[in-house]
């Protein structure tokens, strides 16, 4: 309940971003969504996904602690535990201690149970991956948090066998593709990793390429993404810890240079820019955490 209370606090805390430039930003949680939206084309389906989102969720945890008196840690969504039936999971069963349940099919898939029942989100949804930011991306477009949970996605792509397969990846190229989505256009529409599968399983708000952090499930989903990367890195310090592959362009199109440890990532108003090397080890630098 403490984490849920902290999320509610963020939704009731004034934003930092100016409303003139970001009309849809109405509270601190929206600040995080807007920063994600602005960087979406450079930190998805490419070599920046893992490192950028590691810092993103860490900044979220720091904000919860510093601004909402949260004393705990960022939880994670342990994908295999309820991969066959997400709505039976304590995360999504609609109970008072969950992240709310499925959407109501008779009410535009709006979430009507649990602590985030009837929650309003402020940015539009339905945008697909694109190299360009859509027009009016940051406009105020209020509607309900909505979901249409599809466990068939997680049952196939986020089960225990899929996680074992992911952690057995021999190199970073393989790990990235098994985590996310194949970079081969011939197979990407039918072959998903658990990262992509989690978003698609929730559908609705969580499936939006740009504004998915509006769903409270987003941070826990990416907590698990980071957990998997952390475990994989620690399995082979020599070959995995500093392994980098790809660019900062969607699908690693050759429009931006290959990433290096000196590549600098921006996080807007959320925190200072950091180089790739600062994001590679959760037990060094600003970080000091481990997973169980």
């Amino acid at each position: 309940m403490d984490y849920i209370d902290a999320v509610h606090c963020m939704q009731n805390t004034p934003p930092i971003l100016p409303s003139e430039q970001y009309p849809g930003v109405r509270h601190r949680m929206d600040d995080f969504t807007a920063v994600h939206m602005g960087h979406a084309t450079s930190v998805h389906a490419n070599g920046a996904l893992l490192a950028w989102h590691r810092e993103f969720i860490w900044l979220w945890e720091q904000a919860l602690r510093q601004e909402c008196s949260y004393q705990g840690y960022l939880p994670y969504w342990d994908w295999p535990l309820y991969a066959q039936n997400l709505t039976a999971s304590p995360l999504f069963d609609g109970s008072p201690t969950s992240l709310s349940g499925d959407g109501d099919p008779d009410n535009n898939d709006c979430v009507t149970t649990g602590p985030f029942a009837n929650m309003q989100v402020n940015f539009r949804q339905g945008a697909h991956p694109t190299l360009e930011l859509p027009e009016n991306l940051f406009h105020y477009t209020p509607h309900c948090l909505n979901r249409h949970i599809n466990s068939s996605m997680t049952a196939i792509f986020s089960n225990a066998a899929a996680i074992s397969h992911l952690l057995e990846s021999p190199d970073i190229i393989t790990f990235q593709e098994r985590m996310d989505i194949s970079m081969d256009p011939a197979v990407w529409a039918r072959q998903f990793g658990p990262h992509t599968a989690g978003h698609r399983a929730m559908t609705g708000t969580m499936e939006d390429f740009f504004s998915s952090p509006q769903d409270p499930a987003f941070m826990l989903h990416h907590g698990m993404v980071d957990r998997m990367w952390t475990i994989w890195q620690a399995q082979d310090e020599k070959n995995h810890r500093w392994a980098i592959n790809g660019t900062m362009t969607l699908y690693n199109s050759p429009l931006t240079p290959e990433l290096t440890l000196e590549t600098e990532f921006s996080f807007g108003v959320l925190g200072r820019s950091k180089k790739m090397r600062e994001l590679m080890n959760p037990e060094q630098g600003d970080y000091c955490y481990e997973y169980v």
Side-chain angles (χ1 to χ4, degrees), residues 66 88 111-112 119 125 131 137 147 173 176 235 258 263 265 281-282:
Q66 296 166 11
V111 172
T112 58
M119 172 182 154
Q125 66 185 50
L131 288 173
L137 180 65
R147 297 169 176 163
I173 298 174
Q176 288 171 332
Q235 287 177 165
E258 288 289 316
T263 300
F265 294 150
N281 192 334

Side-chain angles (χ1 to χ4, degrees), residues 10-276:
M10 292 291 278
Q11 294 172 332
N12 288 286
T13 300
I16 294 175
L17 288 170
S19 59
E20 297 80 10
Q21 188 175 355
Y22 301 90
V25 172
R26 300 301 168 104
H27 49 65
R28 279 292 279 142
M29 189 169 172
D30 284 341
D31 281 338
F32 281 81
T33 299
V35 169
H36 183 272
M37 293 164 72
H39 290 79
T41 59
S42 61
V43 299
H44 289 95
N46 60 23
L49 174 78
L50 298 170
W52 191 90
H53 283 84
R54 171 174 282 173
E55 177 73 1
F56 185 69
I57 62 173
W58 181 80
L59 288 167
W60 170 254
E61 182 181 301
Q62 304 315 299
L64 293 180
R65 290 167 176 259
Q66 296 166 11
E67 300 172 41
C68 291
S69 302
Y70 180 57
Q71 300 298 309
Y73 299 92
L74 179 66
Y76 58 82
W77 166 6
D78 198 341
W79 299 319
L81 289 184
Y82 292 89
Q84 307 296 324
N85 187 359
L86 289 179
T87 55
S89 162
L91 284 179
F92 306 117
D93 63 4
S95 65
T97 56
S98 70
L99 296 181
S100 286
D102 202 358
D104 181 354
D106 296 324
N107 186 23
N108 298 314
D109 289 332
C110 293
V111 172
T112 58
T113 60
F116 299 103
N118 306 310
M119 172 182 154
Q120 176 180 297
V121 295
N122 296 323
F123 296 104
R124 70 174 188 168
Q125 66 185 50
H128 298 290
T130 173
L131 288 173
E132 301 293 332
L133 295 182
E135 187 177 354
N136 302 330
L137 180 65
F138 300 106
H139 277 206
Y140 180 50
T141 314
H143 57 280
C144 67
L145 169 67
N146 60 74
R147 297 169 176 163
H148 188 78
I149 295 178
N150 174 17
S151 297
S152 65
M153 291 294 299
T154 51
I156 297 172
F157 301 113
S158 304
N159 59 33
I163 300 310
S164 294
H165 188 57
L166 171 67
L167 294 177
E168 291 166 357
S169 300
D171 52 51
I172 187 60
I173 298 174
T174 307
F175 183 84
Q176 288 171 332
E177 293 205 351
R178 290 179 181 176
M179 169 65 80
D180 196 19
I181 192 168
S182 174
M183 297 302 157
D184 182 351
V187 301
W188 78 266
R190 64 178 186 274
Q191 185 62 51
F192 305 115
H195 167 240
T196 305
H199 282 279
R200 295 204 169 202
M202 300 300 290
T203 63
T205 302
M206 183 70 165
E207 193 175 12
D208 188 89
F209 176 71
F210 294 94
S211 64
S212 51
Q214 295 184 109
D215 190 320
F218 178 95
M219 298 298 181
L220 277 68
H221 181 47
H222 273 274
M224 185 63 171
V225 171
D226 188 61
R227 179 174 180 249
M228 293 294 97
W229 186 34
T230 299
I231 292 171
W232 182 82
Q233 286 182 300
Q235 287 177 165
D236 185 345
E237 285 287 336
K238 179 181 178 181
N239 296 305
H240 292 182
R241 174 61 62 196
W242 306 101
I244 300 171
N245 167 69
T247 69
M248 290 184 70
T249 302
L250 195 66
Y251 304 124
N252 284 321
S253 299
L255 302 179
T256 53
E258 288 289 316
L259 292 165
T260 73
L261 291 175
E262 297 305 307
T263 300
E264 190 166 281
F265 294 150
S266 169
F267 300 93
V269 298
L270 305 181
R272 68 178 178 87
S273 296
K274 289 186 176 180
K275 292 183 178 180
M276 184 81 157

